[in-house]
Every structure is written in structure tokens, then in C-alpha cells.
Amino acid sequence: QGCAATCPSFDALQACLAESPDAQCKAVAADGAWAVIASALDKCGYEPGDAQDLFRDIASAGAGGFIGRVSATVDAAEESSLRSLVNALYSAGCILPHLLLGSSPTVAQASERAGASQSHFESADKYDVFLSHLQRNAQDAVIALQMFLQQSRPGLRSFIDIDVDMKGDLTGTLREGVRTSRNFVFSSLMAFSSPSGVCRS
């Protein structure tokens, strides 16, 4: 898993997912399911020879945002198939590299080719990513992640609590940061073993 992140085409992606030990990946790669997926991607304006456009779009919009953006172009069965594909791509490790290293707004370009309105894809996000962490053990890790992201993608707008004024309405500040962020990353050395920490974050 993860090899799909370098797939140059949808045919190569199907083959890679079919070889995955993950049942979800295998299911979307089955010929019948893949035919529906291929039809939906074609309707959305994606070129069969460039799977990387798809990965970048999902990383840029997030899973829910991507499905919402293409739902007006495809029918209900195709939308369901695309939703399964997106989940499989996250499982296969295809999306994270594009999230970390930057993405281009090719959803808008693909939809414009399909005849959709460009204005439908405009975003008012204040931050590209909200970096959340368990304060007692992951602050160094999240700072290192922020530095990596900013070096990899100059101009990246990240929300991290040590960079903002946390006085006053702490809960309100955090909620607003999450609401205005395109992506959300949680860092914990406890691997979600502390429910109270997850809730605070």
C-alpha cells in the first residue's frame, strides 16, 4: 500500500489497488466497480492518463469537499462509487503525500472542462491546515510537522495554537480555527489512547 501514490494512470491505479491486501481497495478495483468509477471520472473531466490530478484534488478539497464538488456532475450510483474510491485512496496512502507536499486546484479545472461553473469551487478558507496536538506529549512533533510543511510548500497557512492569541475565549478560537481550515491533522504520541485529550483537541 502506498504505491498508488506514484501511479501515472487510472489503469495503473486499478492494478495497484487490486494487489492491495486491503479489502476496500480490492473492491473498488474489481472490473465492474472500476467501470462505474472510470465513467464518473470521465464525466468530471479527468484524463485517464493522469491519476495525480485526482490525488491532488482530493488532498486539496478533502474527502467530503471533493464528493460535494463532483456530485452535481455524476448520478447517484457514480457518486457512491467515487465515495468508495476516495476512501480506498486514503487507505492506500495515495492522498497524504499530496496533502503534505502541496496540491493544485485541479478540481476547478476539471469541472470547468466538464462545463461546471468556476465560482462553485471558490473557497474562503483562512488556513490550509489546522494542526492539532495533545499538548502534554506532542508539541515538539507538531512544531516539526509545521516546519516541514512550510518548507515543502512556501506560503502554506497553518493554524497551530502556539502561533495565535489563546487568551480569552479559548474554545471559540479553536472552533473558529477548525471551521476556517481546509484540512485537519491531529498529532498524538499516545495514538488516541486518551479520550479526554482527543476531545480537548
Side-chain angles (χ1 to χ4, degrees):
Q1 293 189 13
C3 65
T6 60
C7 286
S9 69
F10 293 135
D11 285 344
L13 176 59
Q14 180 187 12
C16 183
L17 293 175
E19 295 174 359
S20 169
D22 184 89
Q24 186 176 31
C25 293
K26 287 184 177 297
V28 300
D31 288 341
W34 196 260
V36 178
I37 290 170
S39 174
L41 293 175
D42 181 64
K43 283 185 180 180
C44 295
Y46 289 99
E47 297 293 335
D50 194 354
Q52 298 299 308
D53 277 355
L54 177 65
F55 302 155
R56 286 191 294 266
D57 284 354
I58 297 171
S60 177
F66 174 79
I67 295 299
R69 291 172 176 182
V70 301
S71 61
T73 307
V74 299
D75 62 33
E78 291 168 334
E79 179 181 338
S80 177
S81 294
L82 287 179
R83 193 180 302 276
S84 296
L85 173 64
V86 169
N87 291 335
L89 292 179
Y90 273 100
S91 296
C94 301
I95 306 305
L96 184 59
H98 293 280
L99 174 59
L100 294 180
L101 299 177
S103 56
S104 59
T106 51
V107 166
Q109 297 167 5
S111 299
E112 188 174 31
R113 293 195 298 269
S117 170
Q118 178 73 26
S119 62
H120 178 69
F121 299 96
E122 292 177 355
S123 171
D125 293 327
K126 183 177 180 180
Y127 303 101
D128 295 305
V129 60
F130 184 106
L131 299 175
S132 179
H133 64 287
L134 196 57
Q135 291 186 349
R136 69 171 174 265
N137 66 9
Q139 182 166 309
D140 290 345
V142 81
I143 292 173
L145 176 59
Q146 182 188 43
M147 292 175 61
F148 169 77
L149 291 173
Q150 290 175 339
Q151 290 173 0
S152 301
R153 187 181 181 187
L156 179 90
R157 301 163 302 165
S158 60
F159 181 104
I160 183 172
D161 59 12
I162 61 175
D163 288 342
V164 298
D165 183 5
M166 299 299 285
K167 297 178 181 178
D169 184 9
L170 173 59
T171 301
T173 300
L174 292 174
R175 287 181 184 273
E176 180 67 10
V178 171
R179 187 184 69 80
T180 57
S181 295
R182 182 182 297 270
N183 300 286
F184 183 91
V185 174
F186 178 79
S187 176
S188 171
L189 300 183
M190 300 292 287
F192 293 96
S193 64
S194 170
S196 62
V198 173
C199 291
R200 285 199 302 272
S201 297

